[in-house]
């Protein structure tokens, strides 16, 4: 690769001053708690490796241990193990010995920026390299990865360290670092062709290969010691590379990368245009990660999912350094170099702030809500309770020391049935993810709201009842039961409902599965624009069974249906139905009485 013949007079301390300032900011912004399943499983695994009790022990009296492993973990020989590669948890465990596990990513982010500066300075000189270093540290994706507990940035940092080592004449060290990076993320192997092409000599490649081989032997021994076998619990992740959304994913990754790295992408394009031979390996390096993760089957839905290409990001900055070198033309006066640096730095900072929603993530309390939820749940459930969750199944163990289970696990229905038969208290912490699991093969459930938690999630008690059927209004499955007096299906976030648009709305009750009285629990919210309380009366065959005056907000209304009337038509008769337009509230011309969320029919006790 082309290297500049001269060094400019950038003060030697300049990149170190930038690095120290960045380290202070990254350390201040770093997360202090974990919430998402990835970060939680990494941290829990690091505690397990250190022999620290973090709530992962399984209650031996509870069967179905697979369901007891939190999301992003698997059960193995009575223990919960992360199903991600072990390299990053090992780094966290080592740092955790001195209480610095939450500083691993800030340190590696700043360290990779320094290594990248050294590589870019060889190509574009000190001032341009310093500007690109600042741009790198200000990048939304690097800020996000450098302050979270995620493996994307550490895998990137190890690749940069490996390239710097081979360029500085330490090929064996480079190989070892590359081998270590494979233990953090096996997909780092995608960078191997580019690293080979960027090595100074073929002999360096051979010596680096020996170092990488030694590192891989080390990983084999680590797996043998940690797992008692060579099988990899994270191998199932490869099944996600189906290419189900390949084109959309690829467009997404390229677009987001261009948006949050605009000036750098522009400089890289200049480098590719004017120095294609030098930049081609770098372009292949980035493209390999973009193409590979475009195969991921889960649709990307947020800017930060471009983190998947973080290990390819250094290649883009090195290509940008080539572009800067082209513009500076080697012997350009220092004023031009400084001007270019100022333009790139200021321009990029403005672009980054405008293009990225990263700022809300930069606070020391990010993910604190997960810890608060776990602690508040622990204070409100019995000691022998089983608590189902999805995203919080790990944090409930970590922060609340609760015996949690993964609600969406295939064994969860059997575990719930087992607990109900033995009177074991069951609770669930629900958000959008958990709510989607209900009704997917689980036993019939009635959910009784206990308390709204700190983050807006809900703590629910789970009661199993026989012969339960839920008519979830707003879902297509419920439409056939709605007879007269109803509007169309509506949705507000995860809540589905149907407005009763007449004073009388009728619904066909399901046929009871067994003889006996039936309890109908109607969940609804009255129209509140009329300024007077709404009333509701439930009738079957003209016989009044229950009546109530509704208060503000969503609430439940119980109707006891005698066995002789079960399975007939349930009528909800309201005090009024009035259009918002007639009241000047909105332009809605429909007469509205109440929004009905669901009706749960169960055998009366």
């Amino acid at each position: 690769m082309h290297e500049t013949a001269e060094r400019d007079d950038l003060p030697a301390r300049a990149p170190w001053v930038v690095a120290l300032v960045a380290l202070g900011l990254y350390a201040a912004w770093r997360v202090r708690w974990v919430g998402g399943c990835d970060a939680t499983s990494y941290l829990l695994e690091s505690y397990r490796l250190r022999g620290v009790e973090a709530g992962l022990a399984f209650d031996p009296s509870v069967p179905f241990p697979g369901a007891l492993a939190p999301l992003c973990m698997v059960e193995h020989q009575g223990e919960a193990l992360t199903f991600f590669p072990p390299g990053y948890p090992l780094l966290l465990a080592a740092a955790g010995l001195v209480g610095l596990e939450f500083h691993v990513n800030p340190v590696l982010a700043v360290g990779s920026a320094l290594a990248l500066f050294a590589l870019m300075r060889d190509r574009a000189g000190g001032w341009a390299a310093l500007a690109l270093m600042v741009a790198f540290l200000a990048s939304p994706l690097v800020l996000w990865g450098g302050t979270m507990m995620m493996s994307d940035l550490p895998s990137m940092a190890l690749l940069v360290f490996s390239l710097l080592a081979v360029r500085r004449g330490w090929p064996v060290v480079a190989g070892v670092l590359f081998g270590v990076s494979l233990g953090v993320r096996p997909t780092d192997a995608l960078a191997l062709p580019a690293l080979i092409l960027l090595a100074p000599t073929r002999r360096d490649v051979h010596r680096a290969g020996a170092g990488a081989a030694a590192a891989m032997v080390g990983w084999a021994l680590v797996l043998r010691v940690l797992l008692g076998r060579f099988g990899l619990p994270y191998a199932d992740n490869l099944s996600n590379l189906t290419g189900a959304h390949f084109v959309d994913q690829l467009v997404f990754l390229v677009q987001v990368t261009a948006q949050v790295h605009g000036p750098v992408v522009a400089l890289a394009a200049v480098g590719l245009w004017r120095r294609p031979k030098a930049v081609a390996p770098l372009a292949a390096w980035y493209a390999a990660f973009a193409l590979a993760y475009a195969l991921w089957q889960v649709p990307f839905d947020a800017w930060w999912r471009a983190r998947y290409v973080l290990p390819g990001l250094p290649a883009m900055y090195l290509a940008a350094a080539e572009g800067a070198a082209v513009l500076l033309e080697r012997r350009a006066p220092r004023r031009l170099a400084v001007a270019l640096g100022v333009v790139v730095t200021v321009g990029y900072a403005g672009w980054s702030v405008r293009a990225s929603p990263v700022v809300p993530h930069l606070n020391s309390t990010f993910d604190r809500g997960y810890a608060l939820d776990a602690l508040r749940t622990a204070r409100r459930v019995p000691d022998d309770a089983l608590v189902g969750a999805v995203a919080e199944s790990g944090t409930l163990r970590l922060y609340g020391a609760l015996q949690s289970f993964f609600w969406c696990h295939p064994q969860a229905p059997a575990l719930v049935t087992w607990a109900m038969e033995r009177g074991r208290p069951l609770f669930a912490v629900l958000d959008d993810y958990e709510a989607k699991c209900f009704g997917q093969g689980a036993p019939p459930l009635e959910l009784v709201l206990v308390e709204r938690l700190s983050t807006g999630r809900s703590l629910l008690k789970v009661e199993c009842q026989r012969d339960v059927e839920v008519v979830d209004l707003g879902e297509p499955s419920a439409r056939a039961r709605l007879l007269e007096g109803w509007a169309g299906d509506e949705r507000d976030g995860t809540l589905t409902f149907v407005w009763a648009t007449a004073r009388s709305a009728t619904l066909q009750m399901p046929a009871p599965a067994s003889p006996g009285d039936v309890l109908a629990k109607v969940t609804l919210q009255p129209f509140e624009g009329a300024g007077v309380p709404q009333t509701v009366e439930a009738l079957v065959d003209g016989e009044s069974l229950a009546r109530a005056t509704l208060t503000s907000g969503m609430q439940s209304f119980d109707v006891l249906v005698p066995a002789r009337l079960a399975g007939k038509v349930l009528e909800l008769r309201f005090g009024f139905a009035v259009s918002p337009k007639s009241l000047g509230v909105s332009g809605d011309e429909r007469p509205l009485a109440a929004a009905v969320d669901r009706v749960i029919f169960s055998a009366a006790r």
Side-chain angles (χ1 to χ4, degrees):
M1 177 174 287
H2 173 82
E3 297 189 7
T4 56
E6 298 179 357
R7 297 286 181 103
D8 55 45
D9 57 350
L10 177 74
R13 65 180 178 274
W16 293 97
V17 171
V18 170
L20 287 174
V21 171
L23 183 60
L25 293 174
Y26 274 58
W29 287 333
R30 79 189 191 281
V31 297
R32 270 79 166 171
W33 297 269
V34 292
C37 89
D38 306 60
T40 303
S41 72
Y42 286 133
L43 185 61
L44 285 170
E45 181 74 358
S46 75
Y47 286 155
R48 190 186 73 84
L49 294 173
R50 288 168 50 200
V52 175
E53 173 54 43
L56 285 179
F58 292 163
D59 183 340
S61 69
V62 179
F64 315 109
L68 297 178
L71 179 61
C72 291
M73 306 192 80
V74 293
E75 185 272 334
H76 173 69
Q77 297 180 355
E79 289 187 291
L81 308 179
T82 180
F83 64 42
F84 295 118
Y88 185 47
L90 277 172
L91 293 177
L92 295 177
L97 294 174
V98 289
L100 294 177
E101 58 264 49
F102 284 94
H103 288 79
V104 169
N105 282 40
V107 169
L108 288 178
V110 174
S112 63
L114 282 170
L116 199 56
F117 167 83
L119 291 165
M120 293 187 297
R121 187 171 192 171
D122 290 343
R123 292 151 180 82
W127 290 100
L130 186 66
L132 287 168
M133 175 185 174
V134 172
F136 177 81
L137 288 167
S139 158
L141 292 177
V142 177
L143 273 172
W144 189 88
T147 55
M148 301 292 289
M149 188 170 278
M150 299 289 280
S151 67
D152 310 83
L153 190 134
S155 72
M156 178 202 73
L158 288 166
L159 288 178
V160 177
F161 297 154
S162 178
L163 178 59
L164 180 64
V166 76
R167 299 291 295 179
R168 289 292 186 267
W170 307 321
V172 176
V173 174
V176 170
L177 289 170
F178 178 73
V180 172
S181 77
L182 295 179
V184 174
R185 277 206 164 191
T187 50
D188 276 5
L190 295 168
L192 181 59
L195 293 176
I196 291 174
L197 293 173
L198 294 171
T201 66
R202 183 171 296 181
R203 183 167 179 245
D204 289 327
V205 173
H206 293 160
R207 296 178 66 190
M216 297 313 296
V217 171
W219 279 127
L221 294 175
V222 166
L223 290 173
R224 180 66 179 174
V225 171
L226 297 184
L227 304 181
R229 59 188 172 92
F230 292 110
L232 307 180
Y234 50 85
D236 287 346
N237 278 344
L238 297 177
S239 64
N240 287 317
L241 299 176
T242 65
H245 305 277
F246 178 77
V247 175
D248 290 341
Q249 308 283 51
L250 184 60
V251 170
F252 172 87
L253 291 174
V254 173
Q255 283 182 341
V256 173
T257 303
Q259 287 172 356
V260 300
H261 302 280
V264 176
V265 172
L267 280 175
V270 172
L272 184 61
W273 173 45
R274 295 300 300 271
R275 295 180 176 175
K277 185 176 180 181
V279 176
L282 300 171
W285 180 347
Y286 171 80
F289 285 93
L291 290 169
Y293 281 102
L295 294 171
W296 209 250
Q297 70 177 5
V298 181
F300 298 160
D301 58 0
W303 68 270
W304 55 267
R305 285 190 182 269
R307 66 186 173 86
Y308 290 126
V309 297
L310 262 175
L313 200 61
M316 182 185 304
Y317 277 80
L318 291 171
E322 294 286 354
V326 168
L327 298 179
L328 292 171
E329 294 180 348
R330 270 195 190 175
R331 299 182 181 275
R334 179 187 171 202
R335 285 179 300 175
L336 181 57
V338 172
L340 178 64
V342 170
V343 169
V344 170
T345 305
V346 174
Y348 181 80
W351 184 284
S352 177
V353 171
R354 179 178 179 274
S356 170
V358 72
V359 175
H361 292 269
L362 300 180
N363 64 83
S364 60
T365 60
F366 188 72
D367 277 335
R368 183 169 179 248
Y370 287 94
L372 293 177
D373 280 355
L375 292 171
R376 295 181 69 185
T377 301
R379 290 197 296 267
R380 287 160 175 78
V381 304
D383 292 339
D384 60 342
L386 290 172
V387 183
V390 177
E392 303 199 33
S393 51
T395 51
L396 289 171
R397 290 178 171 274
L398 176 62
Y399 298 117
L402 293 165
Q403 192 69 199
S404 67
F405 65 95
F406 179 37
W407 193 267
C408 294
H409 194 275
Q411 292 180 349
L415 176 58
V416 170
T417 299
W418 173 88
M420 290 301 180
E421 290 174 347
R422 288 157 180 78
R424 186 82 177 250
L426 272 174
F427 291 79
V429 175
L430 300 186
D431 60 18
D432 290 350
Y433 295 105
E434 284 81 354
K436 293 176 182 177
C437 298
F438 288 100
Q440 297 180 3
L445 299 173
E446 179 185 355
L447 306 181
V448 182
L449 180 63
V450 175
E451 181 180 0
R452 181 72 64 180
L453 298 176
S454 58
T455 57
R457 290 174 278 264
S458 300
L459 173 63
L460 305 178
K461 183 178 180 181
V462 180
E463 296 179 350
C464 185
Q465 299 183 0
R466 302 303 175 192
D467 306 331
V468 176
E469 182 163 343
V470 179
V471 179
D472 190 356
L473 278 73
E475 295 290 347
S477 59
R479 177 49 57 177
R481 295 197 175 277
L482 304 185
L483 302 178
E484 296 180 350
W486 302 100
D489 296 344
E490 296 188 45
R491 178 181 296 272
D492 182 6
T494 59
L495 175 68
T496 61
F497 59 92
V498 175
W499 279 102
T501 54
R503 289 191 59 191
S504 174
T506 55
L507 178 147
Q508 176 65 56
M509 292 188 289
S514 59
D517 295 344
V518 172
L519 178 66
K521 183 182 290 291
V522 185
T523 302
L524 74 173
Q525 178 173 331
F527 174 64
E528 301 174 30
V532 295
Q534 178 66 281
T535 60
V536 60
E537 181 181 12
L539 306 95
V540 177
D541 273 359
E543 182 176 337
S544 178
L545 302 179
R547 66 177 64 212
T549 299
L550 302 177
T551 57
S552 177
M554 194 68 74
Q555 58 213 270
S556 292
F557 168 56
D558 289 349
V559 182
L560 182 62
V561 181
R564 58 186 172 80
L565 299 176
K568 295 188 175 184
V569 174
L570 173 66
E571 178 187 0
L572 298 178
R573 186 174 296 173
F574 298 97
F576 62 84
V578 60
S579 72
K581 184 175 182 179
S582 68
L583 299 174
V585 177
S586 72
D588 193 343
E589 298 181 349
R590 299 175 300 173
L592 303 181
V596 183
D597 173 24
R598 65 178 182 265
V599 184
I600 300 176
F601 296 93
S602 59
R605 295 177 178 177

